[in-house]
Amino acid sequence: ETGVTQSPTHLIKTRGQQVTLRCSSQSGHNTVSWYQQALGQGPQFIFQYYREEENGRGNFPPRFSGLQFPNYSSELNVNALELDDSALYLCASSWASGTGNYGYTFGSGTRLTVV
Amino acid sequence: AQSVTQPDIHITVSEGASLELRCNYSYGATPYLFWYVQSPGQGLQLLLKYFSGDTLVQGIKGFEAEFKRSQSSFNLRKPSVHWSDAAEYFCAVGPRDDKIIFGKGTRLHILP
């Protein structure tokens, strides 16, 4: 059973550029959530994808968008990068059923630096 | 508003000593409560969680936490820490297992 894998592990972008981060969910999981963890802070919920649709969103602007694919993997896209977008981006996958979400598992993250 | 407060940014304890990390939360409904650990350069690992039943919850690596509804607290404890416990610890709250709100974390340092 593979865990949650994220790519790339590190990335440097210039302000104003666009970036795409990728996440492969754990085998058997059907839901992916994305978090932003700024330096010295706890992770903040960006959004969740379930059945290829957004299923809840935190307090992030529309330039943060995502996709989920039929194999349950996911992408996080950030447009018009700002310096404050520099952070560790964490992906978490889980199995969602009618009674809740189970097996919430985090990846090791992508460290994004905006210069 | 929903929030989690971890009042201690850094805590230093000697190896073999006991540990208690504090966590207070604000949540409108009955919450799910969590403690996660993050080692440098790593993702988050779930230590334990509480959503109902016995208010003393046992987790992995010898950790336990006690839910106190009257104090809105969910403190993490370990009777004897090991050097490998040095990491950042996050308390979190949520409506269920996902979409959870994290505190800012407590960095644990271990003295040999």
Side-chain angles (χ1 to χ4, degrees):
Chain A
E1 177 181 277
T2 58
V4 177
T5 57
Q6 294 186 241
S7 62
T9 55
H10 295 82
L11 200 54
I12 299 175
K13 288 286 191 179
T14 302
R15 188 171 50 183
Q17 285 187 316
Q18 179 265 343
V19 69
T20 297
L21 310 182
R22 295 178 175 81
C23 173
S24 294
S25 58
Q26 182 168 307
S27 176
H29 286 182
N30 60 5
T31 301
V32 174
S33 303
W34 286 92
Y35 288 80
Q36 180 196 66
Q37 185 178 14
L39 200 61
Q41 302 293 314
Q44 284 192 285
F45 175 70
I46 303 175
F47 44 55
Q48 181 185 85
Y49 276 81
Y50 172 60
R51 292 185 174 179
E52 302 177 47
E53 294 196 359
E54 190 177 288
N55 180 39
R57 187 179 186 95
N59 188 27
F60 281 82
R63 59 188 186 86
F64 285 79
S65 63
L67 286 172
Q68 187 182 30
F69 301 99
N71 67 354
Y72 306 121
S73 65
S74 176
E75 287 182 354
L76 165 65
N77 298 290
V78 187
N79 293 321
L81 283 167
E82 301 176 359
L83 296 180
D84 285 349
D85 295 332
S86 296
L88 180 68
Y89 288 85
L90 294 164
C91 167
S93 72
S94 57
W95 167 256
S97 72
T99 57
N101 264 12
Y102 302 96
Y104 214 48
T105 304
F106 281 86
S108 296
T110 294
R111 172 72 63 186
L112 172 65
T113 302
V114 182
V115 297
Chain B
Q2 302 163 359
S3 65
V4 176
T5 301
Q6 294 180 248
D8 304 304
I9 298 174
H10 294 272
I11 280 189
T12 302
V13 298
S14 298
E15 190 169 15
S18 64
L19 171 70
E20 182 169 27
L21 302 182
R22 297 183 291 164
C23 173
N24 292 96
Y25 68 90
S26 173
Y27 200 79
T30 301
Y32 280 58
L33 292 159
F34 311 83
W35 276 98
Y36 280 86
V37 62
Q38 186 177 38
S39 298
Q42 299 297 310
L44 296 162
Q45 181 181 25
L46 179 67
L47 288 175
L48 48 79
K49 69 179 180 183
Y50 170 82
F51 58 92
S52 68
D54 192 347
T55 56
L56 186 62
V57 183
Q58 301 298 319
I60 63 172
K61 303 185 180 186
F63 286 93
E64 67 178 24
E66 186 172 12
F67 171 59
K68 293 185 177 180
R69 184 185 302 274
S70 61
Q71 298 177 20
S72 297
S73 69
F74 189 56
N75 294 349
L76 182 72
R77 300 194 294 249
K78 186 170 185 177
S80 177
V81 298
H82 186 262
W83 64 266
S84 61
D85 293 325
E88 184 120 30
Y89 291 80
F90 293 95
C91 180
V93 64
R96 50 186 196 183
D97 274 10
D98 62 338
K99 301 176 185 175
I100 55 181
I101 300 167
F102 287 86
K104 293 187 176 182
T106 297
R107 169 75 62 181
L108 176 63
H109 305 272
I110 308 293
L111 294 175

